[in-house]
Amino acid sequence: MENHQISLSIRNVSKTYGNGVKALSNITLDIPMGMYGLLGPNGAGKSTLMRTLATLQEPDAGSIHLGEIDVLLPQEEVRQTLGYLPQEFGLYPNAKAEDLLDYFAVLKGITNRASRKEVVEALLKQTNLWDVRKQKLGSFSGGMKQRFGVAVALLGNPKLLIVDEPTAGLDPAERVRFLNLLSELGENSVVILSTHIVEDVSELCTNIAIINKGQILLEGEPLKAVERLQGKIWRCIVEKSSLPALEQEHKVISTKLLSGRTVVHIYSEENPGNGFELVAPDLEDVYFTTMAGFDKKLVMQQEREVQL
Ligand code: ADP
């Protein structure tokens, strides 16, 4: 299978848990090579989808293919082609990074000592952990642990890398380094990153989907989605006390504190007057507009594209 042909096709995937929660409702997505962002609030269904892609749980309905491979068939071929970095993973605090990675490599079936040494060394270098390879994992920072998790996930050279909410708890420098690492990996595999943080996906992801309550609300290129909001996002700065009145009158999509004042973004297809000024939209505006369901056209366009 040539790399450039690989893409992940998710068709009509649904999942209802035993307690009646419908976590995924008829999800259909086409995920090309590169870094793909799955963006949504807590409880949206991201982890359920990620675990399903990682073959850790089964959907009630639907199909998933990675290139030619049927991901939902229990076969070794699938496990070989995917790497999964869960939200939280147990580490052995007393193990040295190099030793533990070597151990996981054995589990992954790389039994030849010489080739394992080569693989482990390359991964430690790629994830920027070579200098700390003799250190115990218990001494690692959050970012170092996450990068170690990527090194483990990359054993066996997966064509699909699934990364669930990876930036929680990382400091800003670590976060940037981690996202850059994922973006590099996206150059020759499918990398899916789930997150509730808009900035995680806004710069590095070539495609994104916004998910809420088990449904895909929007799918596509972030820049195009932002473009579609051109001329519709307005801003004003108010006292906090006047917010409730403003919310009655306008489609408020976000409010932010800035030096004690409140910066309000609203969605409006016409000039709302009242001291509002037009602003250049960004992905956060797309996210909140989509979540609030204000721009029906944005979402409907999306539905048509998904059905094609
Ligand atoms: P996210 O990763 O976006 O926060 P999840 O996939 O974890 O969302 O959860 C989606 C919904 O399914 C939530 O309402 C959550 O409470 C519910 N849920 C998740 N896992 C289970 C489970 N094992 N049993 C029952 N409900 C679950």
Side-chain angles (χ1 to χ4, degrees):
M1 188 158 46
E2 290 293 318
N3 267 352
H4 63 262
Q5 292 175 330
I6 286 183
S7 68
L8 182 70
S9 154
I10 302 170
R11 290 284 171 278
N12 308 105
V13 167
S14 293
K15 172 74 185 178
T16 303
Y17 284 109
N19 58 359
V21 172
K22 189 152 199 184
L24 297 175
S25 180
N26 211 19
I27 300 286
T28 289
L29 289 172
D30 281 300
I31 303 188
M33 256 178 56
M35 193 160 148
Y36 192 93
L38 183 68
L39 181 63
N42 286 336
K46 301 184 295 298
S47 288
T48 301
L49 183 59
M50 302 298 256
R51 285 197 304 263
T52 306
L53 296 176
T55 71
L56 297 174
Q57 67 180 62
E58 287 179 11
D60 301 332
S63 66
I64 303 171
H65 287 84
L66 178 66
E68 306 276 280
I69 303 170
D70 186 338
V71 174
L72 297 180
L73 286 182
Q75 51 190 358
E76 194 48 34
E77 198 186 1
V78 177
R79 297 240 154 69
Q80 292 292 344
T81 33
L82 67 86
Y84 173 57
L85 179 64
Q87 259 177 39
E88 281 176 24
F89 49 95
L91 279 178
Y92 305 80
N94 289 318
K96 292 177 186 157
E98 187 177 37
D99 296 346
L100 190 59
L101 190 57
D102 184 76
Y103 171 72
F104 282 129
V106 175
L107 295 185
K108 196 82 189 184
I110 312 174
T111 46
N112 179 287
R113 193 178 285 266
S115 39
R116 200 165 68 238
K117 190 162 185 280
E118 220 172 275
V119 166
V120 166
E121 178 174 334
L123 283 176
L124 287 170
K125 285 184 174 161
Q126 190 178 2
T127 51
N128 216 353
L129 292 171
W130 180 248
D131 293 346
V132 294
R133 66 191 182 279
K134 306 277 186 216
Q135 283 184 28
K136 290 182 176 176
L137 289 158
S139 72
F140 274 18
S141 70
M144 287 155 81
K145 283 181 188 155
Q146 289 292 45
R147 279 183 278 129
F148 182 78
V150 170
V152 174
L154 287 179
L155 284 166
N157 208 7
K159 295 285 162 274
L160 169 62
L161 183 64
I162 299 155
V163 189
D164 199 3
E165 297 260 6
T167 59
L170 300 192
D171 71 39
E174 278 177 336
R175 190 176 144 264
V176 168
R177 191 183 298 152
F178 184 78
L179 291 174
N180 282 333
L181 170 64
L182 292 185
S183 160
E184 273 168 37
L185 298 173
E187 283 166 22
N188 47 41
S189 53
V190 178
V191 177
I192 307 179
L193 164 76
S194 92
T195 182
H196 62 276
I197 303 167
V198 177
E199 295 93 72
D200 279 353
V201 303
S202 57
E203 278 156 39
L204 294 172
C205 292
T206 37
N207 286 279
I208 62 158
I210 295 177
I211 183 172
N212 193 23
K213 296 182 181 152
Q215 291 182 307
I216 301 297
L217 301 180
L218 183 142
E219 185 196 10
E221 295 169 36
L223 284 178
K224 282 193 182 158
V226 169
E227 236 166 66
R228 283 208 287 266
L229 276 188
Q230 212 56 262
K232 298 176 186 171
I233 303 298
W234 305 78
R235 177 182 70 180
C236 76
I237 299 173
V238 297
E239 295 300 332
K240 200 162 177 249
S241 56
S242 56
L243 256 185
L246 214 64
E247 278 170 341
Q248 287 285 317
E249 213 177 318
H250 300 286
K251 291 175 171 172
V252 173
I253 59 170
S254 67
T255 57
K256 262 189 214 160
L257 275 179
L258 186 73
S259 324
R261 312 285 304 273
T262 304
V263 180
V264 183
H265 278 201
I266 68 162
Y267 175 88
S268 173
E269 290 178 19
E270 278 131 41
N271 188 343
N274 277 339
F276 277 95
E277 57 169 342
L278 194 61
V279 288
D282 60 19
L283 197 60
E284 206 167 271
D285 294 317
V286 170
Y287 180 56
F288 289 122
T289 301
T290 306
M291 292 289 296
F294 287 151
D295 191 340
K296 296 279 186 250
K297 269 183 270 172
L298 201 69
V299 174
M300 271 162 57
Q301 164 122 7
Q302 158 60 19
E303 278 168 3
R304 273 203 306 280
E305 282 168 8
V306 166
Q307 274 160 18
L308 288 178

